[in-house]
Amino acid sequence: MLTGLMGEPVKPLPPGDKQKITYERGKAKKNRDDDCVTDSGLRFGPEVPVKTITLDAPELSGPDADQYEIIGYKTSHRLAQHHSAYEVLRFQRPVLKHKGSGAVSTTPAAFNVLDNSIADVSFLVGMLVDKFLYHLPLYRQHQRLTQSGIDLSRGTLTSLCKRSIELLRPIAEAQLAHILQSRVLSMDETPIKAGPTKNRKGKGVMKQGWFWSLMGDQDEITFTYSSGRGRAHIEGILENLFTGTLVSDGYAAYSSYAAKNEQITHANCWVHGRRKFVEAEDDEPELVKQVLDSIGHLYQVETRIRDAKLEGEKKRSVRLEHSKPMVDQLFAWFDQQRQRPELLPSSPFSKAIAYMQNREDALRVFLEDPAVPMDNNHTERALRVVPMGRKTWMFCWTELGAEHVGIIQSLIVTCKLQGINPATYLVDVLQRVAIHPANKVEELTPRLWKDLFAQSPLRSDLTHEH
C-alpha cells in the first residue's frame, strides 16, 4: 500500500503489465523485414533510388571461359552519396511560324512559383528545408553551391527565401485562426535576437525579441514574433478570438491575462513546478524526494490512462479517483511544511512550495477537465526548433525576417506533427497557392492538406518526364 507525504494510505493504481526494456546484441537482424538489407545492416525504403552494378567475373573472359556459366548472383549493398544533388533544368520552347501569315510565336514559358526567377520550386523547397528543418544556414548552402560549380550570390538566396515564405503567409494565418478555435490552447515563449540597434554606449547590437508558440488541440502549432515579452502580445493574439483553457508555465503574463478574462480558464504546468523542487534538492534532499515521488505517482496515472486509451468521462473518473487524493494530500502537506519555524522563507525549498501554492487552482484544472494535459511539454518540444536554429543562424537580421522564420516553422513543425513529409507538402502548396481559391486557403494547411491533396501532390518539373 502506498503512503503519502503525511502518512495517510493512498489507494494504489490497478495492476497492469510492466514494460521490461532490455538490450541484447546480435538478435536485431533476425526480426528485420524482408525489404531491408541484412547482409550489411543497411535499411532503406522503396523511395530510395538503387543503382545496380554488375561485376565482371574474370573466369568468363579467361582461357577456360567456356567451362563456366552464371547460375545466379550474390547481392551486397553500399550506401553512396552524390557530391551534389543540384541539377539544371533546360526548357526548350518551340518557336513557331505560321505558314500562311508568316507570324512568329513562341510557346509560353512553363509555370514557375516565383515570376522571372531562376529557381525551380524544388530548389526553393530544398533551400527552405535545409535551413529551417536541418538548420543549415544560407551561407553554408552558398558554399555548397559554389563547390558544386554553381555561381549564385548569397543575396539571391536571401531574396528567394523571403519571396517563397511570403507566399506561405496566408496559409500560416489560416492555421493560426483555426488554432484559436481550440478548446485547449498551450502557449510558451523563447527569446530570439532580431533587428540591429545600439546599446547605451552607441555600439551596434541585436535587439531582443521573442517567439511565442501557440499549440492547438489538433496537432497544429504557430510561431508568432514579438519585440517584447509582455502581456500585450498575448492580448493581441488571443483577445476576442480564444475562449477556453490556456495551458502555460508559471510566467506571470499568462495568469495576469487569464485573470482579467472570464472566458479563459488558466491551467499551469506540473513539470515547471517539479523543476523548482529539483533546484531545491541540495537544500532539503529528503523532503524534495517525497515531493518528486508524489508527482511521479501522478504521472503514473497519466501513463495508465494513455496506455488504456481512455478519453472523456472515463479519463476524468480515473483522475478523480487516483490523482485528486494525491493532489489534495500534497497541498495539505505544503501547508504543514510552511508552518515549520525552521523553514526560512528565503530557502529554495520554501520558494518551491510557494510557487506551487500560488498556482494551486491552475494546477488542479487537469483533474476536472480530461482534455487538459498535466503539463505543456508537448509545446516545449515543438518550440525546440527555434533554439536549435539559434545555434546555426544565431539571429534574424530584421524583424520581418523573424516573422518569416515563424511562418515557415509553423508549417514545417505542423507537418511533422501531422506525419507529413515537409518537402512534399511545400513543393505542392507553393505551386497550388497561386491557383487555389483565397476563401479556401485553410484547405492548404497541413491538417486539411493531408486528406485533400496528399494522395496526388503537385510535383516539380525535376520529377516530370517531358
Side-chain angles (χ1 to χ4, degrees), residues 62-63 89 203 341 381 402 452:
L89 301 179
K203 294 184 178 181
R381 286 192 296 270
L452 297 174

Side-chain angles (χ1 to χ4, degrees), residues 374-448:
M374 271 191 66
D375 54 54
N376 68 340
N377 279 2
H378 57 299
T379 310
E380 284 199 342
R381 286 192 296 270
L383 190 60
R384 286 177 184 171
V385 295
V386 176
M388 288 174 66
R390 284 200 305 259
K391 297 296 184 181
T392 53
W393 39 264
M394 296 181 65
F395 59 85
C396 297
W397 186 246
T398 65
E399 291 187 298
L400 176 60
E403 288 184 22
H404 285 161
V405 171
I407 290 171
I408 187 64
Q409 288 292 17
S410 298
L411 299 178
I412 287 179
V413 176
T414 301
C415 280
K416 295 166 64 177
L417 293 172
Q418 297 284 341
I420 299 170
N421 184 321
T424 302
Y425 168 78
L426 290 173
V427 167
D428 178 274
V429 296
L430 280 173
Q431 298 177 90
R432 196 180 297 275
V433 70
I435 59 176
H436 199 75
N439 61 349
K440 296 183 179 180
V441 66
E442 186 181 359
E443 294 179 350
L444 299 185
T445 60
R447 175 181 60 90
L448 296 180

Side-chain angles (χ1 to χ4, degrees), residues 66-350:
D66 58 346
Q67 300 297 315
Y68 294 90
E69 62 176 337
I70 298 176
I71 60 172
Y73 291 92
K74 183 177 181 180
T75 303
S76 60
H77 295 77
R78 298 176 187 173
L79 182 62
Q81 180 177 346
H82 287 286
H83 173 66
S84 172
Y86 299 113
E87 188 171 335
V88 174
L89 301 179
R90 175 183 290 152
F91 293 90
Q92 297 190 129
R93 298 154 56 192
V95 178
L96 306 175
K97 179 179 179 180
H98 190 270
K99 293 180 180 180
S101 65
V104 177
S105 61
T106 304
T107 302
F111 168 79
N112 201 9
V113 170
L114 301 179
D115 294 336
N116 302 318
S117 173
I118 61 172
D120 179 68
V121 65
S122 59
F123 179 81
L124 299 176
V125 171
M127 177 179 59
L128 295 175
V129 168
D130 279 349
K131 178 175 173 62
F132 297 105
L133 180 60
Y134 301 117
H135 310 294
L136 185 67
L138 290 183
Y139 81 88
R140 292 182 184 169
Q141 296 189 44
H142 177 260
Q143 292 173 347
R144 188 174 62 185
L145 281 162
T146 301
Q147 293 172 357
S148 301
I150 299 173
D151 186 8
L152 200 63
S153 72
R154 286 169 61 177
T156 299
L157 292 180
T158 302
S159 176
L160 292 173
C161 187
K162 291 179 178 179
R163 293 173 65 190
S164 301
I165 294 176
E166 197 61 39
L167 292 175
L168 301 170
R169 183 186 290 272
I171 304 175
E173 291 174 349
Q175 181 165 282
L176 172 59
H178 182 262
I179 288 174
L180 293 176
Q181 297 175 22
S182 301
R183 195 170 72 80
V184 177
L185 175 69
S186 296
M187 283 193 72
D188 203 353
E189 77 289 334
T190 191
I192 183 68
K193 298 292 185 181
T197 187
K198 292 184 179 180
N199 60 16
R200 295 178 180 177
K201 297 181 179 179
K203 294 184 178 181
V205 295
M206 300 303 293
K207 290 188 293 187
Q208 179 70 71
W210 296 86
F211 274 125
W212 300 73
S213 61
L214 295 88
M215 193 167 189
D217 49 21
Q218 293 191 45
D219 289 332
E220 293 177 297
I221 190 167
T222 290
F223 299 90
T224 60
Y225 172 77
S226 171
S227 58
R229 199 190 176 201
R231 197 182 78 190
H233 184 72
I234 303 176
E235 292 175 345
I237 294 294
L238 303 185
E239 197 72 40
N240 301 322
L241 295 173
F242 172 70
T243 57
T245 301
L246 177 64
V247 183
S248 74
D249 56 21
Y251 180 41
Y254 298 112
S255 57
S256 174
Y257 171 76
K260 294 189 176 183
N261 289 269
E262 296 180 355
Q263 295 178 317
I264 300 292
T265 301
H266 188 214
N268 257 154
C269 171
W270 276 83
V271 167
H272 282 81
R274 183 184 185 278
R275 291 174 189 170
K276 298 296 182 181
F277 288 99
V278 172
E279 294 169 2
E281 202 160 12
D282 293 338
D283 183 47
E284 295 280 359
E286 293 299 325
L287 296 178
V288 166
K289 183 178 184 302
Q290 295 182 58
V291 176
L292 298 184
D293 287 345
S294 296
I295 296 177
H297 181 83
L298 295 177
Y299 275 96
Q300 289 177 22
V301 177
E302 295 301 302
T303 299
R304 294 289 178 85
I305 290 174
R306 184 173 60 253
D307 292 346
K309 299 180 179 180
L310 301 181
E311 298 290 344
E313 188 58 34
K314 292 182 179 180
K315 182 177 180 179
R316 178 176 177 271
S317 298
V318 172
R319 282 178 170 177
L320 291 177
E321 180 181 358
H322 299 291
S323 297
K324 187 177 184 300
M326 179 61 73
V327 173
D328 294 340
Q329 190 178 12
L330 188 60
F331 279 100
W333 185 81
F334 286 157
D335 291 336
Q336 184 185 43
Q337 293 299 311
R338 290 290 292 273
Q339 296 173 9
R340 290 169 49 204
E342 67 271 21
L343 185 63
L344 298 177
S346 60
S347 71
F349 185 71
S350 181

